[in-house]
């Protein structure tokens, strides 16, 4: 293969999109992996790694679990099929898990936050959903101070 040959831009497995802000804004109590229902052109666009999860959230609609406001840009590969870039996308989880999640949302005042979208070893798109509680401003400051202290401590021990 020559140096000029283009590398394949598609993600065959691994992380396609990440919500890094979620770990700052929420205290993640537990996580679960869910499948996601996508059309073919949505998968192609997702494999390019341009999706965004920063404003996305998961919730209930008609007794099912959906992912709302996840941005997947339109695929520019000459496909005539169009889709909603921020449409609701159904998440696939077991009935028992769904019941527990809806209970956590309704009674325990927790929220469902998408943490990342990835392709597993079989090439299927999956979403990591975090069951989370919102952080207050003081909690965020405490976490930042703890991070700074850990960094300074590591620097002091390294320079010893």
């Amino acid at each position: 293969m020559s140096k000029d040959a283009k590398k394949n831009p598609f993600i065959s497995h691994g992380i396609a999109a990440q919500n890094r802000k979620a770990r700052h804004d929420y205290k993640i109590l537990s996580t679960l992996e869910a499948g996601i229902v996508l059309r073919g052109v949505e998968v192609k666009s997702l494999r390019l790694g341009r999706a965004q999860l920063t404003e996305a959230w998961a919730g209930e609609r008609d007794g099912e679990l959906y992912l709302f406001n996840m941005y997947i840009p339109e695929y520019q590969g000459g496909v005539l099929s169009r889709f909603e870039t921020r449409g609701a996308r159904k998440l696939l989880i077991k009935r028992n898990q769904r019941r527990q999640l809806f209970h956590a949302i309704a009674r325990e005042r927790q929220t469902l936050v998408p943490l990342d979208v990835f392709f597993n070893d079989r090439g299927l798109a999956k979403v990591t959903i975090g069951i989370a509680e919102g952080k207050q401003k003081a909690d965020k400051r405490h976490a930042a101070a703890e991070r700074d202290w850990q960094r300074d401590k590591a620097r002091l021990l390294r320079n010893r």
Side-chain angles (χ1 to χ4, degrees):
M1 196 172 209
S2 69
K3 290 181 182 179
D4 301 337
K6 291 184 179 179
K7 291 176 83 175
N8 189 0
F10 286 104
I11 299 169
S12 61
H13 64 281
I15 294 177
Q18 236 179 352
N19 187 359
R20 296 178 63 192
K21 191 175 180 182
R23 297 202 186 269
H24 175 71
D25 291 339
Y26 297 97
K27 177 183 174 187
I28 308 298
L29 303 174
S30 65
T31 61
L32 71 105
E33 189 177 298
I36 184 168
V37 177
L38 297 171
R39 294 192 186 114
V41 289
E42 289 176 319
V43 174
K44 283 185 174 187
S45 185
L46 190 63
R47 285 191 186 277
L48 289 174
R50 294 193 207 128
Q52 295 178 0
L53 284 172
T54 52
E55 299 172 358
W57 56 281
E60 178 186 6
R61 180 196 285 174
D62 301 327
E64 296 290 335
L65 188 64
Y66 280 86
L67 184 62
F68 298 101
N69 209 23
M70 175 183 162
Y71 177 73
I72 299 177
E74 289 187 4
Y75 182 67
Q76 301 297 324
V79 179
L80 296 175
S81 173
R82 300 284 182 229
F83 59 89
E84 283 188 60
T85 57
R86 291 196 180 267
R89 293 167 177 93
K90 187 175 180 179
L91 297 177
L92 306 171
I93 59 172
K94 294 182 179 180
R95 187 178 300 137
N96 241 2
Q97 289 176 327
R98 187 172 53 228
R99 196 175 317 120
Q100 289 173 355
L101 289 178
F102 293 160
H103 174 74
I105 293 170
R107 294 184 57 83
E108 298 175 16
R109 307 287 295 157
Q110 296 171 349
T111 186
L112 302 177
V113 180
L115 300 175
D116 59 14
V117 177
F118 64 96
F119 290 98
N120 66 4
D121 294 336
R122 293 176 45 201
L124 301 175
K126 302 282 186 174
V127 179
T128 304
I129 300 291
I131 302 167
E133 291 178 347
K135 282 186 183 177
Q136 300 295 324
K137 196 177 247 186
D139 295 335
K140 293 178 188 178
R141 282 195 300 259
H142 178 70
E146 182 67 27
R147 238 186 350 261
D148 290 344
W149 166 240
Q150 293 298 329
R151 189 179 329 117
D152 291 343
K153 187 170 67 171
R155 187 178 300 132
L156 288 171
L157 291 175
R158 186 177 57 234
N159 292 337
R160 221 172 205 209

